[in-house]
Amino acid sequence: DAMVIQNPRYQVTQFGKPVTLSCSQTLNHNVMYWYQQKSSQAPKLLFHYYDKDFNNEADTPDNFQSRRPNTSFCFLDIRSPGLGDAAMYLCATSSSGTSLWRANVLTFGAGSRLTVL
Amino acid sequence: AQSVAQPEDQVNVAEGNPLTVKCTYSVSGNPYLFWYVQYPNRGLQFLLKYITGDNLVKGSYGFEAEFNKSQTSFHLKKPSALVSDSALYFCAVRDRGSNYQLIWGAGTKLIIKP
């Protein structure tokens, strides 16, 4: 089945120690998103890729970076995690291939839960 | 400012009873409307969406939602709740005329008691 896979599912890191979370997809979707979700709150968009074009949300801290080496993969790098960065990180994909692309749904991965000690 | 409101943090329903999870929005024009569900320690899953046409939209797992333009609401409903419906439900809205991203509600925790 086509899907969105996130690794690792659980990541424990120390304060200030860099972390990389990965996302892969077999849907061939051209748009990929990274969301941060804290304790059952609404997901907060960090950034997204529209094809190769990177779009950063205005309030996303510089501590968060992303890479998309190809259509299938996307990475979230947290350069110096703080206690406030402990959260679930959700990767999602969608397609913009039709005129109604804004009505296209997001397909989410299962998430990567980050703990910062 | 554009916003989505889910006025209830939690909804408790007995198994077999009908359920409603409320959503109202403040977005210009005629937005696209979505419901997503999140089970514990999982990502979000799409339930249903409204684009145009019939105000009653049917989705996954027996859920449906009623679009009301005059009240700018998109309430999620199910005629007979199951214990397995217990989860976190998010309403989301997208302006169909812009490149703005989804605007999410705060979520409603649905608890179905046996």
Side-chain angles (χ1 to χ4, degrees):
Chain A
D1 286 342
M3 55 180 53
V4 180
I5 303 294
Q6 291 189 243
N7 283 300
R9 289 294 315 282
Y10 301 92
Q11 175 74 59
V12 179
T13 190
Q14 293 180 333
F15 184 95
K17 187 172 182 182
V19 162
T20 294
L21 307 176
S22 74
C23 177
S24 64
Q25 54 125 342
T26 59
L27 297 159
N28 203 31
H29 283 171
N30 64 317
V31 189
M32 294 187 77
Y33 308 81
W34 279 105
Y35 282 91
Q36 179 192 64
Q37 186 183 30
K38 294 186 176 182
S39 57
S40 300
Q41 296 176 19
K44 178 182 182 298
L45 183 64
L46 295 174
F47 23 62
H48 75 279
Y49 280 91
Y50 190 111
D51 296 319
K52 294 183 179 180
D53 294 335
F54 177 72
N55 298 272
N56 197 32
E57 293 301 297
D59 58 352
T60 298
D62 293 339
N63 197 27
F64 293 86
Q65 304 286 320
S66 184
R67 297 169 282 137
R68 188 179 186 185
N70 54 52
T71 302
S72 302
F73 284 87
C74 196
F75 299 94
L76 170 62
D77 300 310
I78 309 176
R79 294 191 297 186
S80 182
L83 298 178
D85 296 327
M88 174 78 92
Y89 290 89
L90 298 168
C91 174
T93 71
S94 69
S95 173
S96 67
T98 69
S99 61
L100 289 177
W101 66 270
R102 294 179 185 85
N104 288 348
V105 304
L106 271 61
T107 302
F108 284 84
S112 293
R113 182 167 295 283
L114 177 67
T115 300
V116 182
L117 301 177
Chain B
Q2 301 187 44
S3 63
V4 176
Q6 293 182 242
E8 301 150 319
D9 291 336
Q10 182 169 309
V11 171
N12 298 300
V13 178
E15 186 175 28
N17 282 2
L19 69 87
T20 298
V21 182
K22 296 179 180 178
C23 173
T24 59
Y25 61 91
S26 176
V27 176
S28 60
N30 299 307
Y32 299 119
L33 307 165
F34 305 83
W35 276 101
Y36 286 83
V37 60
Q38 186 176 31
Y39 298 100
N41 276 322
R42 305 295 294 181
L44 282 72
Q45 297 178 32
F46 168 72
L47 272 182
L48 49 79
K49 67 180 178 182
Y50 175 82
I51 298 178
T52 188
D54 193 348
N55 289 343
L56 187 64
V57 178
K58 294 189 183 297
S60 306
Y61 313 120
F63 282 93
E64 55 191 28
E66 187 170 12
F67 169 61
N68 187 315
K69 186 175 181 178
S70 63
Q71 296 184 3
T72 60
S73 67
F74 190 53
H75 300 331
L76 182 69
K77 301 182 179 185
K78 188 173 182 179
S80 179
L82 300 173
V83 173
S84 57
D85 293 330
S86 299
L88 188 57
Y89 290 80
F90 290 99
C91 179
V93 173
R94 187 169 196 167
D95 185 335
R96 65 177 66 204
S98 79
N99 287 327
Y100 292 131
Q101 297 303 318
L102 282 170
I103 303 167
W104 295 88
T108 298
K109 186 175 184 180
L110 178 63
I111 297 177
I112 309 299
K113 298 183 177 179

